[in-house]
Amino acid sequence: PLADRRSAFPSRPCCLPACVQVDVPGAVGASELVSALELDKVAGRHRHWYVQAACATAGDGLYEGLDWLSKQLKTAAHKTTQP
């Protein structure tokens, strides 16, 4: 059942917005995205978040963003298994 799976999810959800297409002229940068989404106000201390600039065509930044997300999930999983 779903209730049994809830412990696998972080108690403090994490968010990884990606600025893809940073190679396109006029693209929104990471700081602009934080301001536009008001991540510092909305997420604040209740959620882990990180904005990763990325270029989907070249693959730049994609692994870095996924690496951050993976570390967040591993940390959360480790905390849920400790007494």
Side-chain angles (χ1 to χ4, degrees), residues 8-83:
F9 296 101
S11 59
R12 291 177 44 177
C14 50
C15 177
L16 175 65
C19 295
V20 292
Q21 297 187 336
V22 294
D23 57 326
V24 175
V28 174
S31 61
E32 292 173 284
L33 185 64
V34 170
S35 295
L37 296 177
E38 297 183 339
L39 286 174
D40 52 341
K41 295 176 188 172
V42 176
R45 297 179 201 169
H46 304 291
R47 289 178 178 78
H48 295 277
W49 58 271
Y50 178 72
V51 176
Q52 176 63 52
C55 175
T57 56
D60 298 335
L62 299 176
Y63 288 110
E64 292 85 351
L66 293 174
D67 185 50
W68 176 86
L69 185 58
S70 174
K71 288 177 183 175
Q72 296 300 310
L73 295 174
K74 284 180 186 176
T75 300
H78 180 68
K79 287 180 182 178
T80 60
T81 58
Q82 288 184 347

